Amino acid sequence: MNKRILTAGALLLALSSFAYGQTSTRDFLHRNPQFFGSTGTPYYCNDTTDTPAPEGFVPFHVDHIARHGSRTHDSKTLVPNLYKLMNRADSLGMLTSQGKLLKSQIDSIYQRMNHRWGDLTPLGAQQHRDMARRMYNRFRPAFTPQDGRVNLIAQSTTVPRSMASMAAFVAEMRGYTPEADFSMDPSNGYDNTLRPFNSKDYKQYLAKGSWKSVLKEYQTRHTPTRLIDQTFKKGWEELIPNPVTFMTHLYALAMILPNTDYGIDLFPWFTEDEKYDLWSVNNLSQYLRKANYPDGQGLPVAIAKPLLADMLATSQAAVDGNGIEANLRFAHGENTIPLLALLGIENAAVAESDPEKVADCWQDFKYNPMATNIQWILYRNPAGRVLVKVLFNEQEVKLPIASGHAPYYDWEAFKAYCADRMESFPNVAPALP
């Protein structure tokens, strides 16, 4: 496949027309195939243009949560199982000439990815370094306070890719603020906010929720198997008793490769229609498990309530004068997807019961590419009034809050809005007892 590279302006135009319903999801993906990567889509950042703040308001604090950057595949079994299957088929003489070519690619991927499951890639580290640079340049007054003291607190889960993302971000930021006091703290003690998916209520939903049968039925209808006949000889059924699993796993590997520097592309094995069908299966899986699927009764979204409450608390502490210029958090897509829905950002909280309609109202490549981030910036004027601006993937967003100068909102009004949003979702057991 020839990779299609969009300039930031062209990408913004494409996403804008898509967001406003000027094209179907299928048409959008065929015109912009880099988004077939689902939640494996590498981070993209359009040109960042800030609406001027009201006169006299200057940024003084940033609260930030980001998914880790680009990584290798995080399953310890998916790639090894594909590798073993292809080699067994070859030893039995069951591969076609095309199958031998596919085996060669999988062999190469396995050799390079083995024992590095889920590791941050060089691209992933660069994404966070670039994010730090843009944050500093856009909101420089927050990092150059009048008293000259700069304090930044960074937290992460103890998963290596999240810790490495934090390290990349902080290393870049330190270059611009060499005199700053940095606190870098990866800890399981933050699981209530950064790993809320360990809640026993949410684990029960994942294990026994009705979403599982919905996804299985959809997978059966929408998983093509043509490629198996192309790469394996007749009688492959004994080798591949579950062709749906084989196809979804092969596509999952294709999705992650653009995040590596391997120079291997598996997408050409699939037709355009096959890519759409397999993307839609993954998209539905993400929606059912992590977003506002009606049968979930708000539980997948509600797990983000401790994170939102924590971000509000650290911002309020900055308003009250604790001297912290930025609170930076590095975690996972299981944080950012529900937080977007909880905040009501860009239709992320849409509730759709029909699995056939999900792809046209909720897209994982929009809500959870690698390094997805939500941040808000606090501004203050000489009279002490505080405003807040919210960013999603570094782009300004508008919220349903009365304001004469959106996307800037009164801090107290924003807190009230967040309280109302949290009240509309159920309470869940915390991740930590």
Side-chain angles (χ1 to χ4, degrees):
M1 173 189 292
N2 292 324
K3 293 184 179 179
R4 296 178 59 184
I5 306 298
L6 294 181
T7 64
L11 180 57
L12 178 60
L13 180 61
L15 288 170
S16 297
S17 65
F18 177 55
Y20 287 102
Q22 296 175 12
T23 185
S24 70
T25 305
R26 183 184 290 270
D27 287 344
F28 175 84
L29 285 169
H30 289 331
R31 294 173 184 173
N32 304 280
Q34 66 270 40
F35 295 112
F36 274 123
S38 190
T39 56
T41 300
Y43 184 64
Y44 49 89
C45 179
N46 301 315
D47 293 328
T48 52
T49 302
D50 287 300
T51 301
E55 185 175 356
F57 282 87
V58 177
F60 70 94
H61 179 78
V62 177
D63 248 280
H64 171 88
I65 172 70
R67 182 191 182 196
H68 56 76
S70 288
R71 57 163 171 77
T72 58
H73 204 286
D74 61 351
S75 171
K76 295 179 180 179
T77 59
L78 185 146
V79 179
N81 285 346
L82 287 172
Y83 171 78
K84 293 173 185 176
L85 172 64
M86 298 303 292
N87 278 270
R88 180 164 181 252
D90 189 39
S91 70
L92 295 173
M94 291 292 294
L95 293 179
T96 66
S97 59
Q98 290 293 295
K100 289 180 180 293
L101 177 58
L102 177 60
K103 172 189 173 296
S104 176
Q105 290 180 304
I106 291 177
D107 284 351
S108 180
I109 294 166
Y110 174 76
Q111 295 300 331
R112 300 188 68 172
M113 201 176 290
N114 191 25
H115 303 304
R116 301 204 62 127
W117 314 120
D119 282 2
L120 195 74
T121 64
L123 177 60
Q126 188 63 50
Q127 290 160 352
H128 282 279
R129 286 195 295 268
D130 291 345
M131 199 182 303
R133 185 191 72 250
R134 289 188 293 266
M135 180 185 289
Y136 176 80
N137 287 332
R138 291 175 73 180
F139 311 115
R140 188 171 302 186
F143 301 102
T144 53
Q146 290 184 352
D147 63 11
R149 295 192 299 271
V150 181
N151 294 279
L152 301 101
I153 296 177
Q155 302 169 345
S156 79
T157 68
T158 56
V159 178
R161 57 183 173 272
S162 294
M163 292 191 291
S165 295
M166 174 176 66
F169 189 105
V170 169
E172 183 73 17
M173 185 65 77
R174 191 184 293 277
Y176 306 116
T177 57
E179 303 302 319
D181 288 329
F182 283 89
S183 169
M184 292 176 58
D185 190 12
S187 174
N188 294 325
Y190 301 125
D191 280 8
N192 279 342
T193 55
L194 300 185
R195 291 181 65 85
F197 43 88
N198 284 333
S199 161
K200 65 178 183 179
D201 294 337
Y202 183 63
K203 284 184 174 180
Q204 184 174 16
Y205 173 73
L206 289 183
K208 300 180 179 180
S210 62
W211 66 271
K212 300 184 76 170
S213 61
V214 173
L215 178 61
K216 184 175 181 180
E217 292 170 4
Y218 187 90
Q219 282 179 317
T220 301
R221 292 194 303 272
H222 290 276
T223 302
T225 58
R226 172 203 59 83
L227 182 57
I228 299 177
D229 290 320
Q230 179 183 337
T231 52
F232 293 86
K233 295 179 180 179
K234 290 182 179 180
W236 56 259
E237 291 82 359
E238 292 187 14
L239 276 171
I240 309 174
N242 191 333
V244 170
T245 297
F246 174 81
M247 291 300 297
T248 54
H249 285 188
L250 185 62
Y251 191 77
L253 181 54
M255 291 192 306
I256 209 67
L257 288 174
N259 297 283
T260 72
D261 55 5
Y262 301 171
I264 301 173
D265 186 358
L266 295 182
F267 278 124
W269 289 103
F270 307 94
T271 69
E272 290 295 293
D273 286 340
E274 287 171 345
K275 284 188 290 186
Y276 180 80
D277 281 339
L278 289 162
W279 165 79
S280 75
V281 169
N282 194 79
N283 183 70
L284 180 64
S285 175
Q286 294 288 325
Y287 178 75
L288 297 177
R289 292 181 293 121
K290 302 175 186 178
N292 198 24
Y293 175 54
D295 284 6
Q297 299 181 335
L299 178 61
V301 177
I303 65 171
K305 290 168 70 172
L307 172 59
L308 179 54
D310 184 58
M311 294 179 72
L312 291 169
T314 53
S315 285
Q316 184 60 52
V319 171
D320 294 339
N322 73 345
I324 303 300
E325 277 64 48
N327 289 91
L328 311 166
R329 302 165 181 85
F330 301 86
H332 307 272
E334 290 85 356
N335 300 94
T336 50
I337 291 178
L339 181 60
L340 286 167
L342 187 57
L343 285 168
I345 290 176
E346 295 189 2
N347 207 40
V350 63
E352 178 54 67
S353 296
D354 186 348
E356 299 292 341
K357 296 180 180 178
V358 169
D360 279 324
C361 66
W362 192 94
Q363 300 82 30
D364 53 7
F365 57 79
K366 174 181 178 180
Y367 296 117
N368 196 40
M370 295 294 184
T372 293
N373 57 92
I374 300 102
Q375 51 188 279
W376 63 61
I377 300 86
L378 300 182
Y379 291 72
R380 185 156 41 203
N381 69 0
R385 185 185 175 192
V386 176
L387 301 178
V388 60
K389 177 172 68 173
V390 179
L391 306 180
F392 165 38
N393 286 346
E394 303 179 73
Q395 307 297 303
E396 295 178 343
V397 297
K398 292 186 177 181
L399 299 169
I401 303 173
S403 174
H405 32 255
Y408 298 88
Y409 303 96
D410 180 80
W411 171 239
E412 295 299 325
F414 177 71
K415 289 196 298 180
Y417 169 77
C418 290
D420 287 344
R421 292 290 301 175
M422 287 191 283
E423 185 66 25
S424 67
F425 288 92
N427 293 320
V428 298
L432 296 175

